[in-house]
Amino acid sequence: GIIMKVFIIVFLFGMGLLLNANEIQRPDDLFTLMQEKLLGNWRLSEAKDQIDTNSYKHPAVFPLIGTNKVAITFKMIGGDSTLQEDLLPDTAKQMVTMYHCYDMACSKLKATHYCVKQNQPELFANTNESTPNRIVFDCDMSTELCRSNEDHVHQIIHEFSNGNKHLKTSYLSWENQQLKDNSSIYHFDKIDQK
């Protein structure tokens, strides 16, 4: 009777907590999570750990493999209102992505990617697809670039593993309104804890 009812209530409450632990429902929560997990310097993982990608073989990138040189770094700027990502600093493939709240209420989390392709796709966080270990940004389809046939980064995905000390970042490119075969995907390991 009563013991079974209490057990069922506790079980259902516990399941609800587990389900909610995997969801990011609010853009401001996602922005906080990004700061907690990304801030600091990261090096490119060893070649053997660059799984499902050949991006590290690019002549501008390969010299960073096996070194402790910063290959991606994240820092807060603009009075802590913007998270700046600097990918492959001081190389021919250097790119920057700025992440910030779209408005004062942080109704959306926006990213602008300043690409070596000489365009600047604008993306919004996909809170339905994002989890504490996988952060997804999708191209803003209200912009001309995202709807175009031009080669551009159409999705950015940050994936965390190894206690948040390993980062896989994918810059999925689209051309002619479809996913390209040769998107840039990199694996990084945390250098420091900032």
Side-chain angles (χ1 to χ4, degrees), residues 1 6 57-58 70 72 77 90 112 115 122 124 133 145 183:
V6 169
K57 294 179 180 178
H58 187 281
V70 174
I72 193 170
I77 63 168
D90 302 319
T112 304
C115 194
E122 298 175 57
F124 282 117
N133 290 316
L145 178 60
S183 293

Side-chain angles (χ1 to χ4, degrees), residues 9 18 44 82 85 103 130-131 157:
I9 290 170
L18 287 175
L44 278 168
T82 302
E85 168 193 314
D103 53 23
S130 294
T131 69
I157 304 171

Side-chain angles (χ1 to χ4, degrees), residues 117 134 152-157 170-174 179-180 183-185:
K117 297 173 190 211
R134 186 173 187 266
H152 64 278
V153 170
H154 200 78
Q155 190 175 57
I156 298 174
I157 304 171
S170 304
Y171 304 88
L172 302 181
S173 293
W174 285 54
L179 182 63
K180 291 178 63 177
S183 293
S184 295
I185 299 171

Side-chain angles (χ1 to χ4, degrees), residues 172-189:
L172 302 181
S173 293
W174 285 54
E175 189 171 29
N176 298 317
Q177 300 183 12
Q178 59 187 0
L179 182 63
K180 291 178 63 177
D181 290 335
N182 60 345
S183 293
S184 295
I185 299 171
Y186 302 101
H187 290 264
F188 304 97
D189 295 305

Side-chain angles (χ1 to χ4, degrees), residues 122-164:
E122 298 175 57
L123 307 97
F124 282 117
N126 183 332
T127 54
N128 293 327
E129 294 291 323
S130 294
T131 69
N133 290 316
R134 186 173 187 266
I135 299 169
V136 179
F137 282 81
D138 294 326
C139 217
D140 177 3
M141 295 307 289
S142 73
T143 63
E144 183 179 349
L145 178 60
C146 293
R147 294 187 317 267
S148 76
N149 290 324
E150 183 177 343
D151 184 4
H152 64 278
V153 170
H154 200 78
Q155 190 175 57
I156 298 174
I157 304 171
H158 298 291
E159 298 174 87
F160 305 95
S161 60
N162 192 24
N164 301 323

